[in-house]
């Protein structure tokens, strides 16, 4: 039973790694760095909330910037992927629709990951802003 659960976990993690590689490791890695920076700035903002409100506000601004950068990088990777897909369609002349659909799927992976990282950061930004407002009222 435990082997079955372990194999399911390994298959799931491989699926995420496969999607990460399909989206293009360069842009996906940059978006991941932006997500990790956003989480780091949020944690630092929450930690310094009671001690130094100005530090928390600075971390909030940095989180906003990092999350927006991740979103924009996702769409930039998507546009570059679309250009690459259209270049291959142009070179083939009359391509098979499955080849075109595969190229579109790959180009949308960076946009999806960029949006995901943006949403995660935005939830943290909303919580930190709410805590900052509550701290100022005290």
């Amino acid at each position: 039973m435990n082997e079955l659960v372990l194999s399911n976990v390994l298959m799931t993690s491989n699926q995420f790694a496969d999607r990460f590689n399909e989206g293009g490791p360069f842009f996906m890695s940059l978006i991941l760095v932006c997500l990790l920076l956003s989480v780091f700035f949020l944690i630092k903002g929450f930690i310094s909330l009671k001690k130094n409100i100005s530090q928390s506000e600075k971390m909030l601004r940095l989180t906003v910037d990092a999350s927006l950068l991740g979103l924009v990088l996702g769409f930039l990777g998507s546009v570059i992927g679309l250009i690459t897909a259209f270049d291959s369609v142009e070179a083939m002349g009359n391509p098979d629709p499955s080849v075109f659909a595969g190229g579109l799927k790959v180009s949308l992976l960076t946009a999806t990951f960029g949006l995901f990282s943006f949403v995660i950061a935005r939830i943290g930004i909303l919580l930190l802003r709410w805590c900052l407002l509550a701290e100022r009222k005290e």
Side-chain angles (χ1 to χ4, degrees):
M1 181 68 178
N2 288 337
E3 293 172 8
L4 180 64
V5 171
L6 182 60
S7 68
N8 285 340
V9 169
L10 290 176
M11 286 176 40
T12 304
S13 66
N14 284 338
Q15 182 182 6
F16 290 123
D18 290 342
R19 295 285 188 232
F20 190 87
N21 287 329
E22 283 179 11
F26 178 70
F27 275 103
M28 297 293 268
S29 296
L30 290 176
I31 297 167
L32 180 61
V33 167
C34 290
L35 175 63
L36 294 175
L37 280 173
S38 296
V39 170
F40 172 75
F41 292 143
L42 282 169
I43 291 171
K44 197 166 180 182
F46 279 113
I47 289 172
S48 63
L49 189 62
K50 295 286 183 185
K51 298 177 240 174
N52 190 353
I53 290 181
S54 65
Q55 177 76 12
S56 288
E57 290 170 346
K58 181 180 177 183
M59 292 300 114
L60 180 67
R61 287 190 301 272
L62 287 171
T63 304
V64 168
D65 293 341
S67 68
L68 285 173
L69 181 61
L71 179 66
V72 170
L73 284 172
F75 282 111
L76 178 63
S78 181
V79 168
I80 291 173
L82 283 172
I83 290 170
T84 305
F86 286 129
D87 281 344
S88 65
V89 166
E90 184 181 31
M92 292 173 130
N94 193 7
D96 181 31
S98 65
V99 172
F100 186 65
L104 289 177
K105 178 189 84 165
V106 168
S107 73
L108 292 175
L109 287 172
T110 56
T112 303
F113 190 46
L115 283 168
F116 173 76
S117 67
F118 182 75
V119 167
I120 295 298
R122 278 291 154 174
I123 291 169
I125 288 167
L126 289 172
L127 290 173
L128 185 55
R129 280 188 178 152
W130 181 66
C131 289
L132 278 169
L133 285 174
E135 192 66 29
R136 285 185 194 138
K137 288 181 181 178
E138 289 179 5

